[in-house]
Amino acid sequence: MTTDLHDQDGLAALDGLLSHTTVDGIPTLYAPAAGKEITAGLFFRVGRADETLATAGITHLVEHLALHRLGLSDLHYNGATANAYTLFHVTGGEEEVVSYLNNLCAGLRDLPMERLETEKEILRTEAAGRGGGPQHQMPLWRYGARGYGLSSYAELGTWSLTPDQVRHWAETRFTRDNAVLWITSDHVPDGLDLTLPAGSRFPAPAPTSALPVTPAYIHGDDGHVVLTSVVRRSTAASVFADVFGRALFQDLRQEGGYSYSAEADYSPRDAEYATLTAYADSLPQKQDAVVGGFVDTLARLRAGRIEQSELDSVRTKLLKMYDTPDLGAASLPSYALSLLLGHRVLSPDAHRAELDAVTLADLREVAREVWGGALLQVPGRGVDWAGLTVAPQYSEEAVTGTRHESLEDDRVTLVIGTDGVSLLTPKGPVTVRFDAVSAMTTRPDGARALTGHDGFSVTVEPTLFKKVTPERIAALDAAVPAAAVVPMPARDADRIPRPRKREKPPRDRRATARAWGWTALLVLLGALAAVWPVICGYLIVERIQEDRIPPLHGMFGMGVLEFALIRWARSVNRRRRDARA
């Protein structure tokens, strides 16, 4: 059923560019494109950021199950699950597109649950062959193990999700009120049956934070420098991303010769904010130069040292998008996503006006906003010198409870308490509290791996710590919320870790030399302290045998020297122990 779409979303501004209506309650945008084939896309406002770590992958599972009904086909179609949305798209003749959309919605209404375990395995196989990329860990460090940070994690839900959980997710998230359809056609094709359950439009997830201070930095793999920052969505911010990318390319590749790739990107995150990402590669021997050049380039832009020609060049490039043939059809995905996320809808004329209004001062302000919220991933040395703070590497506090020494390292202790678990290391504690657990995986052999909302993880391996009894594991299991528990399959015996032979940490050569030096000095002072009383006694006896009175001042001096030798020996002994520690 097709009805008019009211203009509560500002779509009237697009009249003449595209048309809008509703189909079976789903907002629908359409505009013609050249050619006999048409393309359609069905957006849903649900993605990875809506999940929990324990259910991660549930949206992806629904996508796969819904598409299974279509089977083998020459039709070009697919699905994609992003952080804040899921998209199903298809290209073909009008009848083929109608058949695809109808079968897709029928599949969403009645998911083939007999395929659930097979699709779980397919997703795990897909993940195993998918590389993480140089910026894979950035969401984790910024957001933790929740919301937008989940894109850094494996889809744990593919091990434990039940049919009821997957079915409920489809019924509540893949609804007509949580969708937007777009079609590259001058009319809505006949025969569409997009019947879906009623629901509500879910706003994009509220962002979490694992960074107490920004700008911050983390250490990453050699050869990659990555910066991300969250900025307010604006035309000026999208222009700045292009300016920043060009400046990096000029400074690091053309002038410095340090990098091959140097670029920046602007990607909407939700209705109000976007993620700016910048990247540069380097050879190992040029990494310090790339990091320094990267920071210097952004510092230049923050200081407002941007040429008008740089802004004009980017503005000209962006304005060329409006020379695209079939502009309305080409703009459909972008407008549909804005409608889905609740972002303002800008007509081409309004966007042109905003592009023309961007000034160098606007770019300077965006550059400062980028720096203020920056997270920089660097290889090698830290960048404290640039005013960035290293992201938290350890927890602020440890829990109290039973202590279990490591069977591999005397300096490491596992603590299992009533409030959580802590791993005590020489550099600091790593703690996961039971009231802030994102997920705990469990193994039949007793192993438990806990991940906190802040991204810190503690793995409890009974084979690697003293006295981690079944009773202690049972207490741990009872303390973790059931919704966070992810049962994992049994491991082969040879994959259960065994303690390595303890090895004393390698000693620093200078420290060892100092320890031997203190030892030698201690031996010398001890010998003097032992010999000196003998010499003194001999001299006193000799004076007495000669009927001479021993000098009192001489005896006093001998005693003072003996006392000093003993004090020096004790002091040296303490320093010797410290040097060996």
PDB file of all heavy atoms in Angstrom, residues 399 401-407 409 411-417 420-425 430 448 450 458-462 464-468 472-473 476:
ATOM      1  N   VAL A 399      40.610  -5.167  42.762  1.00  0.00           N
ATOM      2  CA  VAL A 399      39.656  -5.687  43.738  1.00  0.00           C
ATOM      3  C   VAL A 399      40.407  -6.476  44.811  1.00  0.00           C
ATOM      4  O   VAL A 399      41.580  -6.831  44.646  1.00  0.00           O
ATOM      5  CB  VAL A 399      38.609  -6.598  43.063  1.00  0.00           C
ATOM      6  CG1 VAL A 399      37.836  -5.824  42.005  1.00  0.00           C
ATOM      7  CG2 VAL A 399      39.262  -7.832  42.451  1.00  0.00           C
ATOM      8  N   GLY A 401      40.278  -9.969  47.302  1.00  0.00           N
ATOM      9  CA  GLY A 401      39.693 -11.299  47.296  1.00  0.00           C
ATOM     10  C   GLY A 401      40.768 -12.350  47.447  1.00  0.00           C
ATOM     11  O   GLY A 401      41.874 -12.073  47.951  1.00  0.00           O
ATOM     12  N   THR A 402      40.490 -13.565  46.994  1.00  0.00           N
ATOM     13  CA  THR A 402      41.486 -14.628  47.067  1.00  0.00           C
ATOM     14  C   THR A 402      42.580 -14.377  46.045  1.00  0.00           C
ATOM     15  O   THR A 402      42.311 -13.988  44.911  1.00  0.00           O
ATOM     16  CB  THR A 402      40.837 -16.001  46.816  1.00  0.00           C
ATOM     17  OG1 THR A 402      40.205 -15.994  45.523  1.00  0.00           O
ATOM     18  CG2 THR A 402      39.794 -16.312  47.864  1.00  0.00           C
ATOM     19  N   ARG A 403      43.810 -14.626  46.459  1.00  0.00           N
ATOM     20  CA  ARG A 403      44.970 -14.347  45.603  1.00  0.00           C
ATOM     21  C   ARG A 403      45.520 -15.672  45.068  1.00  0.00           C
ATOM     22  O   ARG A 403      45.674 -16.648  45.814  1.00  0.00           O
ATOM     23  CB  ARG A 403      46.043 -13.598  46.389  1.00  0.00           C
ATOM     24  CG  ARG A 403      45.565 -12.239  46.890  1.00  0.00           C
ATOM     25  CD  ARG A 403      46.565 -11.620  47.846  1.00  0.00           C
ATOM     26  NE  ARG A 403      47.793 -11.249  47.174  1.00  0.00           N
ATOM     27  CZ  ARG A 403      48.017 -10.073  46.592  1.00  0.00           C
ATOM     28  NH1 ARG A 403      47.081  -9.152  46.614  1.00  0.00           N
ATOM     29  NH2 ARG A 403      49.173  -9.816  46.011  1.00  0.00           N
ATOM     30  N   HIS A 404      45.809 -15.671  43.771  1.00  0.00           N
ATOM     31  CA  HIS A 404      46.290 -16.877  43.105  1.00  0.00           C
ATOM     32  C   HIS A 404      47.550 -16.519  42.310  1.00  0.00           C
ATOM     33  O   HIS A 404      47.465 -15.822  41.289  1.00  0.00           O
ATOM     34  CB  HIS A 404      45.211 -17.440  42.175  1.00  0.00           C
ATOM     35  CG  HIS A 404      43.883 -17.623  42.852  1.00  0.00           C
ATOM     36  ND1 HIS A 404      43.541 -18.773  43.514  1.00  0.00           N
ATOM     37  CD2 HIS A 404      42.826 -16.763  43.000  1.00  0.00           C
ATOM     38  CE1 HIS A 404      42.324 -18.646  44.022  1.00  0.00           C
ATOM     39  NE2 HIS A 404      41.864 -17.429  43.734  1.00  0.00           N
ATOM     40  N   GLU A 405      48.681 -16.992  42.796  1.00  0.00           N
ATOM     41  CA  GLU A 405      49.943 -16.655  42.150  1.00  0.00           C
ATOM     42  C   GLU A 405      50.065 -17.351  40.800  1.00  0.00           C
ATOM     43  O   GLU A 405      49.618 -18.485  40.624  1.00  0.00           O
ATOM     44  CB  GLU A 405      51.110 -17.054  43.046  1.00  0.00           C
ATOM     45  CG  GLU A 405      51.189 -16.272  44.347  1.00  0.00           C
ATOM     46  CD  GLU A 405      52.376 -16.699  45.188  1.00  0.00           C
ATOM     47  OE1 GLU A 405      53.141 -17.565  44.731  1.00  0.00           O
ATOM     48  OE2 GLU A 405      52.526 -16.179  46.307  1.00  0.00           O
ATOM     49  N   SER A 406      50.694 -16.666  39.879  1.00  0.00           N
ATOM     50  CA  SER A 406      50.949 -17.247  38.568  1.00  0.00           C
ATOM     51  C   SER A 406      51.968 -18.372  38.686  1.00  0.00           C
ATOM     52  O   SER A 406      52.934 -18.279  39.450  1.00  0.00           O
ATOM     53  CB  SER A 406      51.477 -16.177  37.605  1.00  0.00           C
ATOM     54  OG  SER A 406      51.967 -16.758  36.422  1.00  0.00           O
ATOM     55  N   LEU A 407      51.747 -19.434  37.927  1.00  0.00           N
ATOM     56  CA  LEU A 407      52.691 -20.544  37.892  1.00  0.00           C
ATOM     57  C   LEU A 407      53.835 -20.279  36.913  1.00  0.00           C
ATOM     58  O   LEU A 407      54.750 -21.098  36.802  1.00  0.00           O
ATOM     59  CB  LEU A 407      51.969 -21.830  37.495  1.00  0.00           C
ATOM     60  CG  LEU A 407      50.920 -22.328  38.507  1.00  0.00           C
ATOM     61  CD1 LEU A 407      50.109 -23.467  37.922  1.00  0.00           C
ATOM     62  CD2 LEU A 407      51.597 -22.753  39.806  1.00  0.00           C
ATOM     63  N   ASP A 409      55.079 -16.707  36.465  1.00  0.00           N
ATOM     64  CA  ASP A 409      55.781 -15.468  36.791  1.00  0.00           C
ATOM     65  C   ASP A 409      55.447 -15.065  38.228  1.00  0.00           C
ATOM     66  O   ASP A 409      54.290 -14.794  38.559  1.00  0.00           O
ATOM     67  CB  ASP A 409      55.353 -14.354  35.816  1.00  0.00           C
ATOM     68  CG  ASP A 409      56.228 -13.118  35.903  1.00  0.00           C
ATOM     69  OD1 ASP A 409      56.828 -12.885  36.974  1.00  0.00           O
ATOM     70  OD2 ASP A 409      56.305 -12.369  34.915  1.00  0.00           O
ATOM     71  N   ARG A 411      55.857 -12.450  39.681  1.00  0.00           N
ATOM     72  CA  ARG A 411      55.445 -11.057  39.815  1.00  0.00           C
ATOM     73  C   ARG A 411      53.982 -10.840  39.470  1.00  0.00           C
ATOM     74  O   ARG A 411      53.471  -9.726  39.613  1.00  0.00           O
ATOM     75  CB  ARG A 411      56.316 -10.178  38.906  1.00  0.00           C
ATOM     76  CG  ARG A 411      57.807 -10.263  39.188  1.00  0.00           C
ATOM     77  CD  ARG A 411      58.594  -9.581  38.096  1.00  0.00           C
ATOM     78  NE  ARG A 411      58.372 -10.222  36.805  1.00  0.00           N
ATOM     79  CZ  ARG A 411      58.804  -9.735  35.639  1.00  0.00           C
ATOM     80  NH1 ARG A 411      59.491  -8.618  35.613  1.00  0.00           N
ATOM     81  NH2 ARG A 411      58.567 -10.394  34.511  1.00  0.00           N
ATOM     82  N   VAL A 412      53.284 -11.872  38.987  1.00  0.00           N
ATOM     83  CA  VAL A 412      51.902 -11.743  38.542  1.00  0.00           C
ATOM     84  C   VAL A 412      50.978 -12.532  39.465  1.00  0.00           C
ATOM     85  O   VAL A 412      51.264 -13.679  39.808  1.00  0.00           O
ATOM     86  CB  VAL A 412      51.747 -12.252  37.094  1.00  0.00           C
ATOM     87  CG1 VAL A 412      50.285 -12.215  36.660  1.00  0.00           C
ATOM     88  CG2 VAL A 412      52.604 -11.406  36.147  1.00  0.00           C
ATOM     89  N   THR A 413      49.876 -11.910  39.864  1.00  0.00           N
ATOM     90  CA  THR A 413      48.906 -12.545  40.750  1.00  0.00           C
ATOM     91  C   THR A 413      47.490 -12.282  40.248  1.00  0.00           C
ATOM     92  O   THR A 413      47.164 -11.151  39.853  1.00  0.00           O
ATOM     93  CB  THR A 413      49.038 -12.005  42.192  1.00  0.00           C
ATOM     94  OG1 THR A 413      50.355 -12.272  42.675  1.00  0.00           O
ATOM     95  CG2 THR A 413      48.030 -12.664  43.114  1.00  0.00           C
ATOM     96  N   LEU A 414      46.669 -13.312  40.255  1.00  0.00           N
ATOM     97  CA  LEU A 414      45.253 -13.191  39.923  1.00  0.00           C
ATOM     98  C   LEU A 414      44.463 -13.047  41.211  1.00  0.00           C
ATOM     99  O   LEU A 414      44.679 -13.792  42.162  1.00  0.00           O
ATOM    100  CB  LEU A 414      44.791 -14.432  39.152  1.00  0.00           C
ATOM    101  CG  LEU A 414      43.286 -14.550  38.884  1.00  0.00           C
ATOM    102  CD1 LEU A 414      42.836 -13.500  37.879  1.00  0.00           C
ATOM    103  CD2 LEU A 414      42.934 -15.948  38.396  1.00  0.00           C
ATOM    104  N   VAL A 415      43.547 -12.079  41.243  1.00  0.00           N
ATOM    105  CA  VAL A 415      42.689 -11.879  42.408  1.00  0.00           C
ATOM    106  C   VAL A 415      41.238 -12.094  41.970  1.00  0.00           C
ATOM    107  O   VAL A 415      40.766 -11.459  41.024  1.00  0.00           O
ATOM    108  CB  VAL A 415      42.852 -10.465  43.001  1.00  0.00           C
ATOM    109  CG1 VAL A 415      41.936 -10.294  44.212  1.00  0.00           C
ATOM    110  CG2 VAL A 415      44.300 -10.216  43.401  1.00  0.00           C
ATOM    111  N   ILE A 416      40.536 -12.982  42.654  1.00  0.00           N
ATOM    112  CA  ILE A 416      39.115 -13.221  42.400  1.00  0.00           C
ATOM    113  C   ILE A 416      38.360 -12.756  43.638  1.00  0.00           C
ATOM    114  O   ILE A 416      38.511 -13.317  44.728  1.00  0.00           O
ATOM    115  CB  ILE A 416      38.827 -14.702  42.121  1.00  0.00           C
ATOM    116  CG1 ILE A 416      39.642 -15.187  40.915  1.00  0.00           C
ATOM    117  CG2 ILE A 416      37.337 -14.915  41.875  1.00  0.00           C
ATOM    118  CD1 ILE A 416      39.463 -16.670  40.611  1.00  0.00           C
ATOM    119  N   GLY A 417      37.575 -11.696  43.477  1.00  0.00           N
ATOM    120  CA  GLY A 417      36.871 -11.117  44.614  1.00  0.00           C
ATOM    121  C   GLY A 417      35.367 -11.159  44.439  1.00  0.00           C
ATOM    122  O   GLY A 417      34.846 -11.692  43.460  1.00  0.00           O
ATOM    123  N   GLY A 420      34.752  -8.383  41.537  1.00  0.00           N
ATOM    124  CA  GLY A 420      35.330  -8.538  40.212  1.00  0.00           C
ATOM    125  C   GLY A 420      36.606  -9.339  40.269  1.00  0.00           C
ATOM    126  O   GLY A 420      36.906 -10.008  41.264  1.00  0.00           O
ATOM    127  N   VAL A 421      37.379  -9.263  39.176  1.00  0.00           N
ATOM    128  CA  VAL A 421      38.666  -9.950  39.104  1.00  0.00           C
ATOM    129  C   VAL A 421      39.734  -8.934  38.712  1.00  0.00           C
ATOM    130  O   VAL A 421      39.466  -7.976  37.986  1.00  0.00           O
ATOM    131  CB  VAL A 421      38.647 -11.114  38.081  1.00  0.00           C
ATOM    132  CG1 VAL A 421      37.714 -12.215  38.535  1.00  0.00           C
ATOM    133  CG2 VAL A 421      38.265 -10.613  36.697  1.00  0.00           C
ATOM    134  N   SER A 422      40.941  -9.165  39.207  1.00  0.00           N
ATOM    135  CA  SER A 422      42.070  -8.300  38.878  1.00  0.00           C
ATOM    136  C   SER A 422      43.280  -9.156  38.555  1.00  0.00           C
ATOM    137  O   SER A 422      43.490 -10.206  39.171  1.00  0.00           O
ATOM    138  CB  SER A 422      42.417  -7.353  40.025  1.00  0.00           C
ATOM    139  OG  SER A 422      41.410  -6.390  40.238  1.00  0.00           O
ATOM    140  N   LEU A 423      44.063  -8.696  37.615  1.00  0.00           N
ATOM    141  CA  LEU A 423      45.364  -9.294  37.340  1.00  0.00           C
ATOM    142  C   LEU A 423      46.404  -8.276  37.774  1.00  0.00           C
ATOM    143  O   LEU A 423      46.491  -7.180  37.218  1.00  0.00           O
ATOM    144  CB  LEU A 423      45.499  -9.617  35.848  1.00  0.00           C
ATOM    145  CG  LEU A 423      46.701 -10.485  35.466  1.00  0.00           C
ATOM    146  CD1 LEU A 423      46.527 -11.895  36.026  1.00  0.00           C
ATOM    147  CD2 LEU A 423      46.869 -10.541  33.953  1.00  0.00           C
ATOM    148  N   LEU A 424      47.156  -8.637  38.799  1.00  0.00           N
ATOM    149  CA  LEU A 424      48.166  -7.723  39.338  1.00  0.00           C
ATOM    150  C   LEU A 424      49.482  -7.984  38.626  1.00  0.00           C
ATOM    151  O   LEU A 424      50.020  -9.093  38.679  1.00  0.00           O
ATOM    152  CB  LEU A 424      48.322  -7.936  40.845  1.00  0.00           C
ATOM    153  CG  LEU A 424      47.031  -7.912  41.672  1.00  0.00           C
ATOM    154  CD1 LEU A 424      47.353  -8.083  43.149  1.00  0.00           C
ATOM    155  CD2 LEU A 424      46.259  -6.619  41.427  1.00  0.00           C
ATOM    156  N   THR A 425      50.011  -6.977  37.963  1.00  0.00           N
ATOM    157  CA  THR A 425      51.265  -7.086  37.223  1.00  0.00           C
ATOM    158  C   THR A 425      52.250  -6.065  37.770  1.00  0.00           C
ATOM    159  O   THR A 425      51.855  -5.128  38.477  1.00  0.00           O
ATOM    160  CB  THR A 425      51.045  -6.838  35.718  1.00  0.00           C
ATOM    161  OG1 THR A 425      50.854  -5.427  35.495  1.00  0.00           O
ATOM    162  CG2 THR A 425      49.823  -7.595  35.209  1.00  0.00           C
ATOM    163  N   VAL A 430      45.016  -4.866  36.150  1.00  0.00           N
ATOM    164  CA  VAL A 430      43.982  -4.888  35.122  1.00  0.00           C
ATOM    165  C   VAL A 430      42.748  -5.486  35.786  1.00  0.00           C
ATOM    166  O   VAL A 430      42.786  -6.615  36.268  1.00  0.00           O
ATOM    167  CB  VAL A 430      44.394  -5.730  33.904  1.00  0.00           C
ATOM    168  CG1 VAL A 430      43.264  -5.777  32.886  1.00  0.00           C
ATOM    169  CG2 VAL A 430      45.657  -5.165  33.264  1.00  0.00           C
ATOM    170  N   ARG A 448      37.902 -18.898  31.901  1.00  0.00           N
ATOM    171  CA  ARG A 448      36.969 -17.783  31.807  1.00  0.00           C
ATOM    172  C   ARG A 448      37.719 -16.563  31.299  1.00  0.00           C
ATOM    173  O   ARG A 448      38.817 -16.264  31.790  1.00  0.00           O
ATOM    174  CB  ARG A 448      36.350 -17.463  33.176  1.00  0.00           C
ATOM    175  CG  ARG A 448      35.603 -18.639  33.823  1.00  0.00           C
ATOM    176  CD  ARG A 448      34.336 -18.970  33.069  1.00  0.00           C
ATOM    177  NE  ARG A 448      33.539 -19.991  33.727  1.00  0.00           N
ATOM    178  CZ  ARG A 448      33.586 -21.294  33.397  1.00  0.00           C
ATOM    179  NH1 ARG A 448      34.432 -21.719  32.449  1.00  0.00           N
ATOM    180  NH2 ARG A 448      32.802 -22.150  34.015  1.00  0.00           N
ATOM    181  N   LEU A 450      37.023 -12.527  30.824  1.00  0.00           N
ATOM    182  CA  LEU A 450      36.104 -11.434  31.116  1.00  0.00           C
ATOM    183  C   LEU A 450      36.576 -10.157  30.445  1.00  0.00           C
ATOM    184  O   LEU A 450      37.761  -9.807  30.511  1.00  0.00           O
ATOM    185  CB  LEU A 450      36.004 -11.200  32.626  1.00  0.00           C
ATOM    186  CG  LEU A 450      35.465 -12.347  33.476  1.00  0.00           C
ATOM    187  CD1 LEU A 450      36.612 -13.241  33.959  1.00  0.00           C
ATOM    188  CD2 LEU A 450      34.685 -11.800  34.676  1.00  0.00           C
ATOM    189  N   VAL A 458      40.497  -9.734  31.438  1.00  0.00           N
ATOM    190  CA  VAL A 458      41.235 -10.627  32.334  1.00  0.00           C
ATOM    191  C   VAL A 458      40.839 -12.057  31.985  1.00  0.00           C
ATOM    192  O   VAL A 458      39.650 -12.385  31.938  1.00  0.00           O
ATOM    193  CB  VAL A 458      40.919 -10.350  33.817  1.00  0.00           C
ATOM    194  CG1 VAL A 458      41.616 -11.396  34.707  1.00  0.00           C
ATOM    195  CG2 VAL A 458      41.364  -8.948  34.211  1.00  0.00           C
ATOM    196  N   THR A 459      41.831 -12.896  31.721  1.00  0.00           N
ATOM    197  CA  THR A 459      41.583 -14.296  31.418  1.00  0.00           C
ATOM    198  C   THR A 459      41.974 -15.151  32.615  1.00  0.00           C
ATOM    199  O   THR A 459      43.090 -15.045  33.126  1.00  0.00           O
ATOM    200  CB  THR A 459      42.380 -14.743  30.178  1.00  0.00           C
ATOM    201  OG1 THR A 459      41.968 -13.964  29.048  1.00  0.00           O
ATOM    202  CG2 THR A 459      42.126 -16.209  29.875  1.00  0.00           C
ATOM    203  N   VAL A 460      41.036 -15.966  33.054  1.00  0.00           N
ATOM    204  CA  VAL A 460      41.268 -16.862  34.191  1.00  0.00           C
ATOM    205  C   VAL A 460      41.490 -18.269  33.637  1.00  0.00           C
ATOM    206  O   VAL A 460      40.552 -18.902  33.159  1.00  0.00           O
ATOM    207  CB  VAL A 460      40.068 -16.851  35.156  1.00  0.00           C
ATOM    208  CG1 VAL A 460      40.311 -17.815  36.318  1.00  0.00           C
ATOM    209  CG2 VAL A 460      39.808 -15.440  35.666  1.00  0.00           C
ATOM    210  N   GLU A 461      42.732 -18.723  33.674  1.00  0.00           N
ATOM    211  CA  GLU A 461      43.090 -20.073  33.231  1.00  0.00           C
ATOM    212  C   GLU A 461      43.487 -20.883  34.463  1.00  0.00           C
ATOM    213  O   GLU A 461      44.546 -20.647  35.039  1.00  0.00           O
ATOM    214  CB  GLU A 461      44.254 -20.038  32.232  1.00  0.00           C
ATOM    215  CG  GLU A 461      43.917 -19.466  30.871  1.00  0.00           C
ATOM    216  CD  GLU A 461      43.192 -20.471  29.983  1.00  0.00           C
ATOM    217  OE1 GLU A 461      42.887 -21.576  30.463  1.00  0.00           O
ATOM    218  OE2 GLU A 461      42.939 -20.136  28.810  1.00  0.00           O
ATOM    219  N   PRO A 462      42.640 -21.813  34.905  1.00  0.00           N
ATOM    220  CA  PRO A 462      42.970 -22.572  36.113  1.00  0.00           C
ATOM    221  C   PRO A 462      44.303 -23.293  36.042  1.00  0.00           C
ATOM    222  O   PRO A 462      44.930 -23.547  37.076  1.00  0.00           O
ATOM    223  CB  PRO A 462      41.814 -23.580  36.211  1.00  0.00           C
ATOM    224  CG  PRO A 462      40.676 -22.912  35.493  1.00  0.00           C
ATOM    225  CD  PRO A 462      41.315 -22.157  34.370  1.00  0.00           C
ATOM    226  N   LEU A 464      47.022 -22.087  34.890  1.00  0.00           N
ATOM    227  CA  LEU A 464      48.147 -21.155  34.942  1.00  0.00           C
ATOM    228  C   LEU A 464      48.277 -20.425  36.272  1.00  0.00           C
ATOM    229  O   LEU A 464      49.220 -19.646  36.450  1.00  0.00           O
ATOM    230  CB  LEU A 464      48.041 -20.130  33.807  1.00  0.00           C
ATOM    231  CG  LEU A 464      48.068 -20.691  32.381  1.00  0.00           C
ATOM    232  CD1 LEU A 464      48.032 -19.548  31.377  1.00  0.00           C
ATOM    233  CD2 LEU A 464      49.295 -21.559  32.151  1.00  0.00           C
ATOM    234  N   PHE A 465      47.327 -20.656  37.197  1.00  0.00           N
ATOM    235  CA  PHE A 465      47.382 -19.966  38.484  1.00  0.00           C
ATOM    236  C   PHE A 465      47.152 -20.977  39.610  1.00  0.00           C
ATOM    237  O   PHE A 465      46.424 -21.961  39.447  1.00  0.00           O
ATOM    238  CB  PHE A 465      46.321 -18.857  38.566  1.00  0.00           C
ATOM    239  CG  PHE A 465      46.553 -17.730  37.607  1.00  0.00           C
ATOM    240  CD1 PHE A 465      45.967 -17.737  36.347  1.00  0.00           C
ATOM    241  CD2 PHE A 465      47.370 -16.666  37.950  1.00  0.00           C
ATOM    242  CE1 PHE A 465      46.177 -16.711  35.448  1.00  0.00           C
ATOM    243  CE2 PHE A 465      47.590 -15.628  37.061  1.00  0.00           C
ATOM    244  CZ  PHE A 465      47.000 -15.651  35.810  1.00  0.00           C
ATOM    245  N   LYS A 466      47.747 -20.716  40.752  1.00  0.00           N
ATOM    246  CA  LYS A 466      47.643 -21.623  41.892  1.00  0.00           C
ATOM    247  C   LYS A 466      46.242 -21.589  42.506  1.00  0.00           C
ATOM    248  O   LYS A 466      45.654 -20.520  42.676  1.00  0.00           O
ATOM    249  CB  LYS A 466      48.667 -21.246  42.970  1.00  0.00           C
ATOM    250  CG  LYS A 466      50.122 -21.444  42.566  1.00  0.00           C
ATOM    251  CD  LYS A 466      51.041 -21.036  43.709  1.00  0.00           C
ATOM    252  CE  LYS A 466      52.511 -21.210  43.335  1.00  0.00           C
ATOM    253  NZ  LYS A 466      53.412 -20.774  44.438  1.00  0.00           N
ATOM    254  N   LYS A 467      45.742 -22.760  42.827  1.00  0.00           N
ATOM    255  CA  LYS A 467      44.536 -22.926  43.635  1.00  0.00           C
ATOM    256  C   LYS A 467      43.297 -22.261  43.053  1.00  0.00           C
ATOM    257  O   LYS A 467      42.423 -21.775  43.788  1.00  0.00           O
ATOM    258  CB  LYS A 467      44.777 -22.406  45.054  1.00  0.00           C
ATOM    259  CG  LYS A 467      45.888 -23.142  45.800  1.00  0.00           C
ATOM    260  CD  LYS A 467      46.076 -22.592  47.203  1.00  0.00           C
ATOM    261  CE  LYS A 467      47.211 -23.319  47.926  1.00  0.00           C
ATOM    262  NZ  LYS A 467      47.432 -22.795  49.295  1.00  0.00           N
ATOM    263  N   VAL A 468      43.194 -22.217  41.721  1.00  0.00           N
ATOM    264  CA  VAL A 468      41.948 -21.772  41.094  1.00  0.00           C
ATOM    265  C   VAL A 468      41.058 -23.018  41.006  1.00  0.00           C
ATOM    266  O   VAL A 468      41.036 -23.725  40.006  1.00  0.00           O
ATOM    267  CB  VAL A 468      42.177 -21.136  39.714  1.00  0.00           C
ATOM    268  CG1 VAL A 468      40.847 -20.698  39.106  1.00  0.00           C
ATOM    269  CG2 VAL A 468      43.113 -19.937  39.825  1.00  0.00           C
ATOM    270  N   ARG A 472      36.100 -21.810  43.135  1.00  0.00           N
ATOM    271  CA  ARG A 472      36.366 -20.405  42.805  1.00  0.00           C
ATOM    272  C   ARG A 472      35.746 -20.045  41.450  1.00  0.00           C
ATOM    273  O   ARG A 472      35.216 -18.943  41.280  1.00  0.00           O
ATOM    274  CB  ARG A 472      37.882 -20.145  42.762  1.00  0.00           C
ATOM    275  CG  ARG A 472      38.609 -20.331  44.075  1.00  0.00           C
ATOM    276  CD  ARG A 472      37.965 -19.537  45.207  1.00  0.00           C
ATOM    277  NE  ARG A 472      37.892 -18.109  44.910  1.00  0.00           N
ATOM    278  CZ  ARG A 472      36.884 -17.321  45.272  1.00  0.00           C
ATOM    279  NH1 ARG A 472      35.850 -17.804  45.929  1.00  0.00           N
ATOM    280  NH2 ARG A 472      36.909 -16.036  44.987  1.00  0.00           N
ATOM    281  N   ILE A 473      35.811 -20.954  40.499  1.00  0.00           N
ATOM    282  CA  ILE A 473      35.190 -20.708  39.187  1.00  0.00           C
ATOM    283  C   ILE A 473      33.677 -20.617  39.343  1.00  0.00           C
ATOM    284  O   ILE A 473      33.022 -19.763  38.712  1.00  0.00           O
ATOM    285  CB  ILE A 473      35.569 -21.818  38.192  1.00  0.00           C
ATOM    286  CG1 ILE A 473      37.078 -21.798  37.920  1.00  0.00           C
ATOM    287  CG2 ILE A 473      34.796 -21.662  36.894  1.00  0.00           C
ATOM    288  CD1 ILE A 473      37.586 -20.519  37.286  1.00  0.00           C
ATOM    289  N   LEU A 476      32.766 -17.268  40.646  1.00  0.00           N
ATOM    290  CA  LEU A 476      32.906 -16.280  39.578  1.00  0.00           C
ATOM    291  C   LEU A 476      31.687 -16.330  38.649  1.00  0.00           C
ATOM    292  O   LEU A 476      31.108 -15.296  38.291  1.00  0.00           O
ATOM    293  CB  LEU A 476      34.200 -16.568  38.806  1.00  0.00           C
ATOM    294  CG  LEU A 476      34.753 -15.520  37.848  1.00  0.00           C
ATOM    295  CD1 LEU A 476      36.246 -15.772  37.620  1.00  0.00           C
ATOM    296  CD2 LEU A 476      34.042 -15.560  36.522  1.00  0.00           C
TER     297      LEU A 476
END
